[in-house]
Amino acid sequence: MPISSLEALNLFEQEEMDAFLRVLKAVSSEDIPSLVSSFFNKFSGLEPLEVYLFFIIQNMREFSFNTLLNKHPSLFKSSDKVDRWVEKLVKWRNDVKENDQNDIRFLIEKICKEFFDEQEEKGKLISSSEILNTVLMLLERQKNKNPNITFNEFVLYLEKLKLYGENVPLIINSKDGIKVLTMHSSKG
């Protein structure tokens, strides 16, 4: 059944944005905790046991994008899903390195579409396009303030907004369906 909401939802309270921001942080600054946690989000398509087995093979003291790039054959084979996720992360990292200042909008659109590509949007309260539109709106605001903003600077800006608890309403397309309300908004 289709679902819709009458109230503005906060961008940073959405599970999808949290996972997307983790990936952006991992590919922009090679943040190891974000890189590792990206394997565990549901949008990677990986089961926790697959991830666990993959990390057993890795030398976690030296785990980084470089170790993913220069992965040596192991006695233990990682699953095809893990290999696909690693390929995506490495590809996004290379895209960011090659195009950091050229077209941030293009990079964010590309990563977002590839990140959410296999997820079922039907019956969800919010869609990946709504997250993307909201992030792009934030990018345009920042570009107006700083036309030379880099991808890394923009990801840091998003991270600060989340850390400071800023309320960034999602740009939501109108939908028909069952109205989802909070207790507060439904009373009366």
Side-chain angles (χ1 to χ4, degrees):
M1 294 175 71
I3 301 170
S4 70
S5 174
L6 293 176
E7 49 186 81
L9 300 171
N10 185 352
L11 175 67
F12 296 108
E13 291 176 354
Q14 308 309 312
E15 176 185 19
E16 294 87 350
M17 182 58 195
D18 190 41
F20 183 54
L21 183 57
R22 223 176 289 127
V23 167
L24 291 178
K25 188 176 173 187
V27 299
S28 70
S29 63
E30 298 187 14
D31 180 64
I32 303 305
S34 296
L35 176 62
V36 170
S37 63
S38 76
F39 282 81
F40 288 99
N41 73 55
K42 72 178 187 178
F43 302 100
S44 69
L46 301 173
E47 296 295 323
L49 185 58
E50 289 176 297
V51 176
Y52 175 73
L53 292 173
F54 173 72
F55 285 132
I56 285 176
I57 298 168
Q58 305 302 312
N59 180 359
M60 292 307 290
R61 291 184 188 268
E62 298 173 7
F63 187 72
S64 68
F65 265 102
N66 290 335
T67 59
L68 289 178
L69 286 170
N70 303 319
K71 203 166 64 163
H72 298 293
S74 169
L75 294 175
F76 305 101
K77 168 105 174 76
S78 59
S79 77
D80 292 336
K81 288 181 183 179
V82 171
D83 289 340
R84 278 195 304 263
W85 183 246
V86 168
E87 287 170 12
K88 279 185 177 184
L89 289 170
V90 169
K91 179 180 169 296
W92 293 333
R93 177 64 191 144
N94 291 337
D95 290 345
V96 168
K97 278 188 169 186
E98 293 170 7
N99 303 308
D100 187 28
Q101 285 187 308
N102 294 340
D103 194 359
I104 299 170
R105 182 183 180 92
F106 170 76
L107 284 172
I108 289 175
E109 286 177 342
K110 182 178 181 185
I111 293 170
C112 184
K113 287 176 182 168
E114 291 174 5
F115 180 67
F116 291 113
D117 70 344
E118 297 172 4
Q119 299 304 313
E120 180 66 37
E121 299 269 328
K122 192 175 182 181
K124 286 196 160 199
L125 186 58
I126 60 166
S127 68
S128 59
S129 64
E130 293 166 341
I131 288 179
L132 176 62
N133 291 338
T134 307
V135 170
L136 292 177
M137 180 264 312
L138 291 171
L139 174 62
E140 290 308 312
R141 275 194 206 160
Q142 281 306 105
K143 277 191 160 191
N144 289 337
K145 293 177 186 177
N146 178 6
N148 298 323
I149 191 168
T150 64
F151 188 85
N152 291 349
E153 292 169 341
F154 180 65
V155 171
L156 285 172
Y157 168 71
L158 290 176
E159 198 173 20
K160 284 181 185 176
L161 287 176
K162 181 181 179 186
L163 181 66
Y164 296 154
E166 290 293 320
N167 183 20
V168 178
L170 269 171
I171 300 173
I172 298 180
N173 306 325
S174 62
K175 297 178 190 173
D176 293 329
I178 298 171
K179 305 296 181 206
V180 177
L181 306 170
T182 63
M183 292 283 287
H184 186 270
S185 65
S186 67
K187 68 181 181 181

